[in-house]
Amino acid sequence: MKTLDSKNFSVPGYKAWGIHCGIKKTDKKDLAVIVSDRDASMAGVFTKNRVKAPSVVIGTAKVRSGKGRIIVANSGCANACTGKQGHLDARETAEIVANEFGTKPDLVYVASTGVIGETLPIPKIRTGVATAAGLLSPTGWGQAAEAIMTTDIYPKIAVVQEEIGGKTITLAGIAKGSGMIHPDMATMLCFIVTDALVAAPMLRKMLTSSVGRSFNVITVDGDTSTNDMVLCMANGAAGNKRVAPGTKDFKKLQACLDAVTRSLAMQVVKDGEGATKFVEITVRGAKNPVEARHAASAVAKSSLVKTALFGEDPNWGRIMAVLGSCGVDMDEARTDISFGKSRLVERGVSMGKHAEKEAAAALKQREVHIGIDLHKGKGESTIWTCDLSTEYVKINAAYRS
Amino acid sequence: MKTLDSKNFSVPGYKAWGIHCGIKKTDKKDLAVIVSDRDASMAGVFTKNRVKAPSVVIGTAKVRSGKGRIIVANSGCANACTGKQGHLDARETAEIVANEFGTKPDLVYVASTGVIGETLPIPKIRTGVATAAGLLSPTGWGQAAEAIMTTDIYPKIAVVQEEIGGKTITLAGIAKGSGMIHPDMATMLCFIVTDALVAAPMLRKMLTSSVGRSFNVITVDGDTSTNDMVLCMANGAAGNKRVAPGTKDFKKLQACLDAVTRSLAMQVVKDGEGATKFVEITVRGAKNPVEARHAASAVAKSSLVKTALFGEDPNWGRIMAVLGSCGVDMDEARTDISFGKSRLVERGVSMGKHAEKEAAAALKQREVHIGIDLHKGKGESTIWTCDLSTEYVKINAAYRS
């Protein structure tokens, strides 16, 4: 597998672009279009939130067909909690795009992100789609990635190449979202395209598995926004032999998908709203994997832990307090905590000033690992998150204004 | 019932004081002593965290006797996660105090708050206890309240008087803690004294009931710190007829206790770390009271909701997103949301610009009420919390340094 430069690449059979059509109050890009030159296999993973944007409800229904051709995504307006009008507007957006490109609305997937409770400005989208259609380019991924950003600081792109079924295939993805999804609950969107030939049911399995080991490592079960969506299109333009389950080619393609989703998920965390650190939290020795995951999530969610990380303070007492209150089986006198490679707490007590100094040094890094061993069983889980800075509060206090 | 001036009052049969003995690195007070001139009925409510400070473990055991005479509390060091040494130190603190006042260690209750993982400086406490003993005063409550503060901005005191059993009884309390306990998990300590004559088992019931409607309204089930503790002493110095269950006097005393705990709980929230607003969140129409409580807690915990409140932005979409992801039975199309008296969202959609303006005006107040109706059942619950400001992050990033 080869990682390509994300600044300048193309994926055979696809074009993309992003423009400003007027949904955002600023002059930033707010409309992205990704088009395959032929019908493609399509798979999707959607938010578990009970409150779902029309784009999610409609997309979930469409993707059962396993087919798709175009993705149209807007930022600046989530079109969530907009009642019947929201559903009509999402459907109309798909129709506008289908008409523009001479295809069926069933093959057009709509995604939205931005403020909740406001409706889409359909006339602006109509004009915008026509403009974007005229600008579409095989190398327009950077523009598309920019057009789906909200509070993101930089666009997120990842692309790899691999030899599969005697051909070179390319797999690329763009994403938006910043910070750990909870407590942010900022929308996470990700669109992946490949020219490999894969049947839709297999693509769905591959995508679900890949998301479980990437985007789900940065979210907390169920704590997803109203609009989260990961879509994956495979149009077969590479001309490879159809990838069959259990083969070497299958494993190679899964590895490509995993590489792209993991890279994008890490980019999302690193772009955390106001984040200054990428934090990996691993809980070992929990009674079972579910409790491990729950404990790691509780630590990752704690504002007190996250502000201490921002302050580069190895304040392990806050971690211990969270572990004790989150409901998992634990015993203070058995619990170990480490920062980086340095063990700071053994069997519930500090290992002293020297260990504290080493932990403090580990916290000065841009990437921090917190290891917790509960010594209660074999459950293990890892979560990625970021610290909580003054900047986070500023961004989120000002977001709608 | 009469509310007394919290700046200058006494409770017959009690003395109190607070001093700086050197536990804190600054010159702020860090040691409080409260002494009854006779053995008193004692009741306590303690943290549910699995990680418990020695003061909590030992206090829980002692209070089974229903008896007490002295409370000694330090700030600056939580003496939590300190292993065997921590337990020895907590016991030694009780012995030092018992010797100083010529009573038994079993009648001395120790409470601690501050940094986790550091041990108590016993020599400083020994000297400090002797100093405090010489300064004890019937009106020393302000000093005691100051000496238990950590990141608190002001001391919290409440005092009421009532006619009970033919006598005037006084009931007073001091507390420390700031902000909503979760996500802060800052320690909440509260010490209540009264000269009323009450049997310990009844005092325990009254205290538990009162805490459920005050301090538990500002915490989230289980999300309590390692050191939380509410103690209540009743020494009978008023000479009233012993208060019997189910009587008018019982109701009057319960009302006094409720008034003091509610006042202190509200003071704790208003003193939230960096808080600019007191926020009351009421969820109605949930399937049952447990789901109502869970939904209210989820909204109260959300960093996104709390930063929007800081920004005075009625960003109801964030509330809807939290409700949808927190696991309670809800349906977007049935959900109403109001800010202050102004209904902003009806059946899942915004009521428009005028309603939004009214909601924005309600958010400019120092006290804000958020009302949510899920229209799913009769479950109802209220939680008190505060907003999340840039100041919160600054305080908590710097706390240990």
Short mmCIF file of all heavy atoms in Angstrom, two decimals, chain B residues 349-373:
data_model
loop_
_atom_site.label_atom_id
_atom_site.label_comp_id
_atom_site.label_asym_id
_atom_site.label_seq_id
_atom_site.Cartn_x
_atom_site.Cartn_y
_atom_site.Cartn_z
N VAL B 349 -39.89 21.79 16.25
CA VAL B 349 -39.44 22.87 15.36
C VAL B 349 -39.50 24.24 16.03
O VAL B 349 -40.29 24.48 16.94
CB VAL B 349 -40.24 22.91 14.02
CG1 VAL B 349 -39.93 21.69 13.17
CG2 VAL B 349 -41.72 23.03 14.28
N SER B 350 -38.65 25.14 15.54
CA SER B 350 -38.55 26.47 16.09
C SER B 350 -39.85 27.24 15.88
O SER B 350 -40.51 27.10 14.86
CB SER B 350 -37.41 27.24 15.42
OG SER B 350 -37.48 28.60 15.76
N MET B 351 -40.22 28.06 16.88
CA MET B 351 -41.42 28.87 16.73
C MET B 351 -41.11 30.21 16.07
O MET B 351 -41.96 31.10 16.03
CB MET B 351 -42.08 29.06 18.09
CG MET B 351 -42.58 27.74 18.64
SD MET B 351 -43.40 27.95 20.21
CE MET B 351 -44.93 28.74 19.66
N GLY B 352 -39.89 30.37 15.56
CA GLY B 352 -39.59 31.55 14.74
C GLY B 352 -38.77 32.62 15.42
O GLY B 352 -38.36 32.49 16.57
N LYS B 353 -38.53 33.67 14.65
CA LYS B 353 -37.61 34.74 15.05
C LYS B 353 -38.03 35.45 16.33
O LYS B 353 -37.20 35.77 17.17
CB LYS B 353 -37.48 35.78 13.92
CG LYS B 353 -36.78 35.25 12.67
CD LYS B 353 -35.28 35.03 12.90
CE LYS B 353 -34.66 34.23 11.77
NZ LYS B 353 -33.35 33.63 12.14
N HIS B 354 -39.34 35.69 16.48
CA HIS B 354 -39.81 36.40 17.66
C HIS B 354 -39.53 35.58 18.93
O HIS B 354 -38.99 36.09 19.91
CB HIS B 354 -41.30 36.72 17.55
CG HIS B 354 -41.84 37.45 18.74
ND1 HIS B 354 -41.48 38.75 19.04
CD2 HIS B 354 -42.67 37.05 19.74
CE1 HIS B 354 -42.08 39.12 20.16
NE2 HIS B 354 -42.80 38.11 20.61
N ALA B 355 -39.86 34.29 18.86
CA ALA B 355 -39.61 33.39 19.99
C ALA B 355 -38.11 33.31 20.28
O ALA B 355 -37.68 33.27 21.43
CB ALA B 355 -40.18 32.00 19.69
N GLU B 356 -37.34 33.32 19.23
CA GLU B 356 -35.88 33.24 19.39
C GLU B 356 -35.35 34.48 20.11
O GLU B 356 -34.49 34.39 20.99
CB GLU B 356 -35.20 33.08 18.03
CG GLU B 356 -33.69 33.00 18.08
CD GLU B 356 -33.13 31.75 17.42
OE1 GLU B 356 -33.92 30.86 17.02
OE2 GLU B 356 -31.92 31.67 17.32
N LYS B 357 -35.90 35.63 19.77
CA LYS B 357 -35.51 36.89 20.44
C LYS B 357 -35.86 36.86 21.91
O LYS B 357 -35.08 37.28 22.77
CB LYS B 357 -36.23 38.08 19.77
CG LYS B 357 -35.36 38.80 18.76
CD LYS B 357 -36.04 40.08 18.29
CE LYS B 357 -35.32 40.61 17.04
NZ LYS B 357 -36.09 41.66 16.39
N GLU B 358 -37.07 36.36 22.22
CA GLU B 358 -37.49 36.26 23.62
C GLU B 358 -36.59 35.32 24.40
O GLU B 358 -36.23 35.58 25.55
CB GLU B 358 -38.94 35.79 23.70
CG GLU B 358 -39.94 36.90 23.44
CD GLU B 358 -41.36 36.46 23.74
OE1 GLU B 358 -41.57 35.26 23.99
OE2 GLU B 358 -42.25 37.33 23.70
N ALA B 359 -36.24 34.20 23.76
CA ALA B 359 -35.37 33.22 24.42
C ALA B 359 -33.98 33.85 24.67
O ALA B 359 -33.39 33.67 25.73
CB ALA B 359 -35.24 31.97 23.56
N ALA B 360 -33.49 34.58 23.69
CA ALA B 360 -32.18 35.23 23.83
C ALA B 360 -32.22 36.23 24.99
O ALA B 360 -31.26 36.34 25.76
CB ALA B 360 -31.80 35.94 22.52
N ALA B 361 -33.34 36.93 25.13
CA ALA B 361 -33.48 37.88 26.24
C ALA B 361 -33.46 37.15 27.57
O ALA B 361 -32.83 37.60 28.53
CB ALA B 361 -34.77 38.69 26.08
N ALA B 362 -34.14 35.99 27.64
CA ALA B 362 -34.17 35.20 28.87
C ALA B 362 -32.76 34.75 29.25
O ALA B 362 -32.42 34.67 30.44
CB ALA B 362 -35.09 33.99 28.70
N LEU B 363 -31.93 34.49 28.26
CA LEU B 363 -30.57 34.02 28.52
C LEU B 363 -29.63 35.13 28.99
O LEU B 363 -28.52 34.85 29.43
CB LEU B 363 -29.98 33.37 27.27
CG LEU B 363 -30.46 31.97 26.97
CD1 LEU B 363 -29.66 31.35 25.84
CD2 LEU B 363 -30.34 31.08 28.21
N LYS B 364 -30.08 36.36 28.87
CA LYS B 364 -29.23 37.46 29.34
C LYS B 364 -29.31 37.60 30.86
O LYS B 364 -28.52 38.32 31.47
CB LYS B 364 -29.63 38.78 28.68
CG LYS B 364 -29.42 38.78 27.17
CD LYS B 364 -28.88 40.09 26.66
CE LYS B 364 -28.63 40.04 25.15
NZ LYS B 364 -27.60 39.04 24.78
N GLN B 365 -30.28 36.92 31.48
CA GLN B 365 -30.43 36.99 32.93
C GLN B 365 -29.34 36.19 33.64
O GLN B 365 -28.72 35.31 33.05
CB GLN B 365 -31.81 36.43 33.35
CG GLN B 365 -32.98 37.06 32.62
CD GLN B 365 -33.04 38.57 32.78
OE1 GLN B 365 -32.97 39.07 33.89
NE2 GLN B 365 -33.13 39.30 31.67
N ARG B 366 -29.18 36.49 34.93
CA ARG B 366 -28.21 35.78 35.76
C ARG B 366 -28.73 34.38 36.12
O ARG B 366 -27.97 33.45 36.31
CB ARG B 366 -27.96 36.62 37.03
CG ARG B 366 -27.00 36.06 38.04
CD ARG B 366 -25.57 36.37 37.70
NE ARG B 366 -24.63 35.87 38.72
CZ ARG B 366 -24.32 34.58 38.89
NH1 ARG B 366 -24.85 33.67 38.12
NH2 ARG B 366 -23.48 34.22 39.83
N GLU B 367 -30.08 34.25 36.19
CA GLU B 367 -30.69 32.95 36.47
C GLU B 367 -31.53 32.54 35.28
O GLU B 367 -32.36 33.31 34.80
CB GLU B 367 -31.57 33.02 37.73
CG GLU B 367 -30.77 33.45 38.94
CD GLU B 367 -31.39 33.02 40.27
OE1 GLU B 367 -32.46 32.38 40.26
OE2 GLU B 367 -30.78 33.33 41.31
N VAL B 368 -31.30 31.31 34.80
CA VAL B 368 -31.94 30.87 33.58
C VAL B 368 -32.69 29.57 33.83
O VAL B 368 -32.19 28.68 34.52
CB VAL B 368 -30.85 30.62 32.50
CG1 VAL B 368 -31.45 29.95 31.28
CG2 VAL B 368 -30.17 31.92 32.12
N HIS B 369 -33.90 29.48 33.30
CA HIS B 369 -34.64 28.22 33.40
C HIS B 369 -34.81 27.62 32.01
O HIS B 369 -35.25 28.29 31.08
CB HIS B 369 -36.01 28.44 34.03
CG HIS B 369 -36.79 27.16 34.11
ND1 HIS B 369 -36.62 26.25 35.12
CD2 HIS B 369 -37.71 26.64 33.27
CE1 HIS B 369 -37.40 25.21 34.90
NE2 HIS B 369 -38.09 25.42 33.79
N ILE B 370 -34.43 26.35 31.87
CA ILE B 370 -34.67 25.63 30.61
C ILE B 370 -35.72 24.57 30.88
O ILE B 370 -35.57 23.74 31.77
CB ILE B 370 -33.38 24.96 30.09
CG1 ILE B 370 -32.31 26.01 29.81
CG2 ILE B 370 -33.67 24.14 28.83
CD1 ILE B 370 -30.98 25.43 29.37
N GLY B 371 -36.81 24.63 30.14
CA GLY B 371 -37.89 23.66 30.31
C GLY B 371 -37.97 22.75 29.09
O GLY B 371 -37.92 23.22 27.95
N ILE B 372 -38.04 21.45 29.34
CA ILE B 372 -38.13 20.48 28.25
C ILE B 372 -39.33 19.59 28.51
O ILE B 372 -39.49 19.09 29.62
CB ILE B 372 -36.84 19.61 28.20
CG1 ILE B 372 -35.63 20.48 27.87
CG2 ILE B 372 -36.99 18.46 27.21
CD1 ILE B 372 -34.30 19.86 28.24
N ASP B 373 -40.21 19.43 27.53
CA ASP B 373 -41.32 18.50 27.68
C ASP B 373 -41.23 17.45 26.58
O ASP B 373 -41.29 17.78 25.40
CB ASP B 373 -42.67 19.25 27.63
CG ASP B 373 -43.80 18.40 28.22
OD1 ASP B 373 -43.72 17.15 28.12
OD2 ASP B 373 -44.73 18.98 28.79
#
